[in-house]
């Protein structure tokens, strides 16, 4: 993807990144050896450790437990009375790809054309995005950033929310995005059943043709006569099961069609995303053995006849049917609301433990990075956050965030605005305010 950033957006973006990263009296990310002590540690995979300690060294969790010897060269941070969790993972966003909605040059999540699976979202990620600090100071340390567009709009990437370049931010997982043909009404313009079916058939034909070519390309690409075909090279990796295929599908009817299509094709390493009506066909999804990334949970029902809390219950109903579920916000700046999406899912049937897994270990495992992220375990990346309590509660404060072992400055444009107006200089005397008229 070509990177276009307007002069205005550059002026807006660079100063904040400098505040978080540069020297000269300004707080800089610290990658010392750390000993985080006396905290209540939610490991996610191995229970809760009361009054525990975590040793972080060279970006990796070196030790975790209740009785840990603290190295003499470690920087000790006492978190008595606080809680430590694995960094949260948002399994679907536009983070890093979109800045100012009204300026097309500041949005780079969509390409021209219908079949562009070779377009890499990672190359378009803007490490200086002002939305990244806003997100990470909320405890979200990784996201799946996804392209949008036609039937096969590009390849999504899992990124960590700290780094100077996209390559530094890459968290080890990619997947081709596919928008499954939809039979649902979209937008304000109502379509007749005939128009819907015609559009669906055309989209399905486009997808089938692309994968037919990809299967052929996968067979002949090593031959002497084969020519490099970037679109088919990307899809051939899906055909061979080398990379994930994220299939965006939402209505119950379309989900069943997608399951049938996957079975006919015989593809493995497939994840269903969106899945807004997954609760209607949860048994079928579970039988197919496919994991699901669903959300946003803070959403309205897909049908006017559904109860107001249908979207809130959807993740829990699928989880109870035996489906591995991860959550997403499918947002940019408001990816920071991921814990509250999980909180609603927890309250409406999923339960706190499973909701926490849905934004940590489940998300990591679904993306294929469960050996690196998603829980507090020895040998995993030190992506964690420290809070005053339950992160699903809006009253909870995130005190510190570590990404790849770096202690991240807890600054963002939101915190800067808060500090600026909390301590105004010169101060404002309401008696001096004059109102015309």
């Amino acid at each position: 993807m070509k990177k276009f950033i307007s002069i205005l957006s550059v002026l807006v973006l660079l100063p904040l990144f400098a505040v978080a990263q540069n020297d000269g009296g300004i707080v800089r990310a610290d990658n010392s050896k750390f000993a985080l002590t006396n905290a209540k540690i939610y490991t996610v995979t191995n229970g809760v450790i009361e009054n525990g300690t975590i040793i972080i060294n060279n970006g990796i969790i070196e030790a975790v437990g209740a009785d840990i010897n603290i190295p003499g060269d470690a920087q000790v941070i006492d978190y008595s009375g606080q809680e430590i969790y694995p960094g949260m993972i948002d399994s679907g966003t536009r983070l890093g790809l979109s800045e100012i909605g009204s300026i097309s040059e500041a949005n780079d999540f969509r390409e021209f054309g219908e079949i562009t699976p070779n377009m890499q979202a990672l190359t378009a990620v803007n490490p200086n995005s002002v939305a990244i600090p806003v997100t990470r100071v909320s405890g979200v340390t990784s996201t799946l950033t996804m392209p949008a567009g036609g039937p096969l709009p590009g390849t999504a990437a899992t990124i960590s929310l700290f780094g100077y370049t996209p390559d530094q931010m890459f968290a080890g997982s990619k997947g081709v995005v596919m928008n499954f043909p939809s039979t649902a009404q979209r937008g304000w313009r109502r379509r007749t059943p005939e128009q819907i079916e015609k559009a669906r058939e055309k989209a399905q034909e486009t997808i089938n043709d692309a994968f037919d070519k990809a299967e052929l390309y996968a067979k002949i690409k090593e031959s002497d006569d084969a020519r490099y075909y970037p679109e088919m090279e990307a899809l051939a990796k899906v055909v061979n099961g080398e990379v994930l295929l994220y299939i965006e599908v939402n209505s119950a009817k379309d989900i069943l069609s997608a399951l049938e299509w996957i079975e006919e094709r015989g593809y493995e390493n497939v994840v269903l995303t969106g899945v807004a009506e997954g609760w209607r066909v949860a048994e079928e999804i579970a039988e197919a053995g496919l994991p699901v990334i669903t959300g946003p949970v803070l959403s309205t029902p897909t049908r006017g006849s559904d109860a107001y809390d249908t979207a809130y219950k959807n993740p829990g109903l699928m989880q109870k049917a035996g489906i591995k579920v991860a959550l997403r916000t499918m947002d940019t700046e408001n990816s920071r609301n991921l814990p509250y999406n999980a909180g609603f899912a927890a309250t409406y049937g999923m339960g706190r433990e499973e909701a926490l897994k849905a934004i940590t270990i489940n998300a990591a495992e679904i993306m294929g990075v469960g050996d690196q992220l998603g829980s507090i375990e020895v040998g995993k990346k030190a992506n964690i956050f420290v809070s005053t309590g339950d992160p699903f509660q809006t009253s909870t404060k995130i005190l510190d965030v570590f990404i790849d072992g770096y202690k991240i400055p807890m600054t963002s444009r939101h915190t800067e605005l808060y500090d600026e107006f909390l301590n105004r200089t010169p101060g404002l005397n309401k008696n001096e305010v004059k109102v015309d008229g």
Side-chain angles (χ1 to χ4, degrees), residues 358-424:
I359 56 173
T360 53
I361 192 61
N362 283 6
E365 289 179 347
I366 288 172
M367 295 178 203
V369 290
D371 60 333
Q372 303 176 55
L373 305 173
S375 63
I376 298 177
E377 297 181 61
V378 173
K380 287 194 173 184
K381 290 183 179 180
N383 282 20
I384 62 178
F385 69 89
V386 183
S387 68
T388 58
D390 188 342
F392 296 171
Q393 299 289 336
T394 57
S395 59
T396 295
K397 293 182 179 180
I398 307 300
L399 302 177
D400 280 316
V401 172
F402 295 79
I403 300 178
D404 292 337
Y406 283 84
K407 187 172 184 288
I408 303 299
M410 296 298 288
T411 56
S412 72
R413 67 177 181 182
H414 290 187
T415 64
E416 289 179 346
L417 284 170
Y418 176 82
D419 291 338
E420 173 67 24
F421 286 91
L422 183 67
N423 302 294
R424 286 173 286 194

Side-chain angles (χ1 to χ4, degrees), residues 319-334:
Q319 182 267 322
K320 284 181 169 57
I323 301 167
K324 179 176 284 188
V325 178
L327 300 180
R328 71 179 190 182
T329 62
M330 213 56 221
D331 212 320
T332 303
E333 190 162 305
N334 287 323

